[in-house]
Each structure stands twice: as structure tokens, then as C-alpha cells.
Amino acid sequence: MNAEQLERIRTGKGFVAALDQSGGSTPKALLQYGVPENSYSGEEAMYAVVHEMRTRIIKSPAFDSQHILGAILFENTMDREIDGLLTADYLWEKKGIVPFLKVDKGLAELADGVQLLKPIDGLDALLARAVERRIFGTKMRSLIKEANPAGIRQVVEQQFAIGKQIAAAGLVPIIEPEVDIASADKAESEKLLKAELLSQLAALEPDVKVMLKLSIPTEDNFYAELIEEPHVLRVVALSGGYSQAEANERLARNNGLIASFSRALSEGLSAGQSDEAFNERLSESVRNIYEASIK
């Protein structure tokens, strides 16, 4: 593990950019960017187009280490290059931004009020490749839709079981049990989730470090205990479908919680914009998310 990257993530000011849209979410991300599905044909063409979008974001002067600590990549992006460098190397060597990798394969069907991770076939091989590609950490997303104690326990147990496998490979896992912001019992789900997270964290070996990626809580500063927990490097927040303005406003009320936004980060960006307009819009978003993150 890169000690400089570890210290940057642990103590740095800024936020983590989520550039990890995959499979099912990529067409939506491209449509938001102004690229309709009928403008490309097939999966490979789709990923080439989305890599162009991500490259444009990463190479923008607005995407800088003054405001951004890390960036989460999709596997296909990790294997591609920017200006002759693998994406992770470009992020760190040219931008000073720590690279992470999304490793999950999507969500299982809804059961007990939650969607667990689908099996991650070939995870050991993927982790070995991530280490070879100089990735610092990983991310995997589950979804909680109801305050079901058994379901939430299953989500957290699965996340930590895989997280230990990731940590053993020399990477820092981002544990992401998202609570649906539209859930009727979101606050109760968060109470159950926090209890399960604290239980699992307390059982970790002393040298194991993780990050948590959580929905912005209903009650301000509800995750303060998790932020202070010794095994936790950082707690980052997903935007979860909130607009950038609402996500920033809610985030700013939570001390120590920093952003890891995807849709909210790319809001207002378009393939048809001039470079000047694109960079100006991204710069505004980066500044606003940064300010909400550092309070």
C-alpha cells in the first residue's frame, strides 16, 4: 500500500469523485451527458464513449488535487489509458489523485428489504490486477430499501466478509451499504445499519483499515461514531439521487463527512459544450462539493 496515498486519504481536505458508472448505469450517465443510446452501437462502443467522457473530466483543469482526494473507476476504465498512461497512473502521477476501483457486479434481487451484492466471480484475480495497476482501494455497493433487521445484517456481513478479502490483498475496501433516500423508514434503517457497522468494525483486526460510503443521514451528524472509529480511514457520502444543490446542503450539516458524488458531480456537463463551458461548469461543481465537504 502506498503510504503517501494512505495519508492523503486519511487526513487530506477534499472529496472522492465517483466515475464508476458501469453496465446498466452507463447509458443513463451518457444520456445525462447528452449522448443518446442510438449514437453508439454495442457495449465496446459504449465504453469507448464513456471513457472519452471520463477522460475529459479527469484532464480538465478543474479536476485537481487541491479539491479532489480520490477517484473511483470502473474496471473498464482501469484497463484504458489517458495520454499513454493507464488511468490510475495518470490520476496519481499527473493529478495527485488517489485511484479506487469498483469491484462489484451489481445487485441481487430484492429480499428481506435489501439487495445484496451479486457474486463477484474472479475477485482474487481482479484484486491482483488492481494491485498491479497501482489501485489504492475498492468499492462495492449494496442497497437497503426497508428497515428490515435481518436484511440489513446480511448486507453488512456480506460487505465485511468481502472487505476482509480485499484488505488481505493489500487494498482498502470502501464498504457501501446505501440506504435508499426514498425509503419510508430511512431513519430507522440508518439506526439498524449503524449498529451493524459498529459491531463489524469492532471485530476487525487492529491493522485493518476500511472506508465507508453511506447515504447522507436523516439526522445530522448521526454517523459521528463511525467517523471516529479507529478502523475507519474516512466516511464518504453518496448523493443518492439528490440534486447537487440539495446533496451539498445536506452534506454541509454533517461534520467530518465528505462527498463521493457521481451524478451530482457531473450535473450540467454536456458533450456538446465547448471546453471553456465544460471546464467552467465542472469547476463550479468541484468548488461547491469541496466547500460542502470541508465545512
Side-chain angles (χ1 to χ4, degrees):
M1 187 181 299
N2 185 309
E4 186 180 354
Q5 292 178 347
L6 179 68
E7 188 63 14
R8 177 158 174 74
I9 292 299
R10 189 176 69 84
T11 65
K13 288 187 175 181
F15 66 94
V16 176
L19 305 176
D20 59 329
Q21 301 93 346
S22 59
S25 60
T26 299
K28 292 180 182 178
L30 287 175
L31 188 60
Q32 180 184 1
Y33 184 56
V35 180
E37 288 191 53
N38 61 10
S39 67
Y40 52 86
S41 178
E43 189 175 84
E44 179 57 30
M46 177 184 74
Y47 286 135
V49 174
V50 81
H51 187 64
E52 290 176 8
M53 177 187 76
R54 290 166 177 155
T55 296
R56 193 180 188 192
I57 292 171
I58 290 169
K59 290 184 68 175
S60 170
F63 200 84
D64 62 25
S65 60
Q66 179 182 345
H67 301 95
I68 300 169
L69 298 174
I72 305 170
L73 308 175
F74 174 48
E75 182 181 351
N76 189 280
T77 308
M78 177 184 75
D79 291 332
R80 292 178 183 265
E81 296 182 351
I82 298 176
D83 291 353
L85 291 173
L86 287 167
T87 305
D89 289 338
Y90 186 91
L91 279 169
W92 182 242
E93 294 176 15
K94 300 297 184 181
K95 291 283 186 167
I97 293 170
V98 179
F100 292 81
L101 175 68
K102 168 188 165 72
V103 296
D104 70 75
K105 303 300 182 183
L107 299 171
E109 294 298 319
L110 182 68
D112 293 328
V114 303
Q115 288 181 267
L116 296 170
L117 300 163
K118 287 182 178 178
I120 309 176
D121 296 330
L123 179 59
D124 284 333
L126 177 58
L127 296 177
R129 193 150 51 87
V131 170
E132 182 182 335
R133 296 272 197 264
R134 290 173 286 280
I135 295 289
F136 173 80
T138 67
K139 190 211 83 158
M140 49 193 175
R141 170 182 171 265
S142 311
L143 183 61
I144 297 167
K145 299 183 77 69
E146 299 173 13
N148 182 306
I152 291 172
R153 183 173 299 113
Q154 289 178 67
V155 162
V156 177
E157 288 178 348
Q158 183 191 44
Q159 283 271 349
F160 273 82
I162 299 171
K164 291 172 188 176
Q165 183 180 352
I166 291 164
L171 299 160
V172 173
I174 299 178
I175 305 292
E176 185 182 5
E178 175 183 348
V179 177
D180 191 337
I181 64 169
S183 171
D185 49 12
K186 179 173 177 283
E188 182 60 28
S189 290
E190 289 163 350
K191 290 178 184 178
L192 294 167
L193 174 61
K194 183 169 76 168
E196 293 293 340
L197 288 170
L198 287 169
S199 177
Q200 288 289 334
L201 287 164
L204 290 177
E205 294 295 325
D207 62 336
V208 175
K209 300 298 182 185
V210 303
M211 294 172 63
L212 302 176
K213 182 167 179 174
L214 306 173
S215 304
I216 303 170
T218 305
E219 178 187 326
D220 294 346
N221 294 309
F222 184 69
Y223 291 135
E225 292 170 82
L226 296 172
I227 291 169
E228 296 300 322
E229 214 283 339
H231 293 93
V232 178
L233 286 181
R234 286 311 268 269
V235 181
V236 302
L238 54 102
S239 50
Y242 292 126
S243 69
Q244 184 190 118
E246 185 172 3
N248 285 340
E249 191 272 329
R250 289 173 177 269
L251 178 68
R253 301 199 304 259
N254 288 269
N255 298 323
L257 188 64
I258 67 172
S260 179
F261 294 170
S262 175
R263 280 170 291 182
L265 173 63
S266 59
E267 186 177 294
L269 300 180
S270 171
Q273 288 170 323
S274 67
D275 287 345
E276 181 180 3
F278 179 93
N279 292 334
E280 183 177 338
R281 181 67 184 91
L282 181 59
S283 179
E284 180 182 3
S285 294
V286 166
R287 286 196 309 272
N288 289 340
I289 295 170
Y290 173 82
E291 288 170 5
S293 293
I294 66 167
K295 278 55 108 197

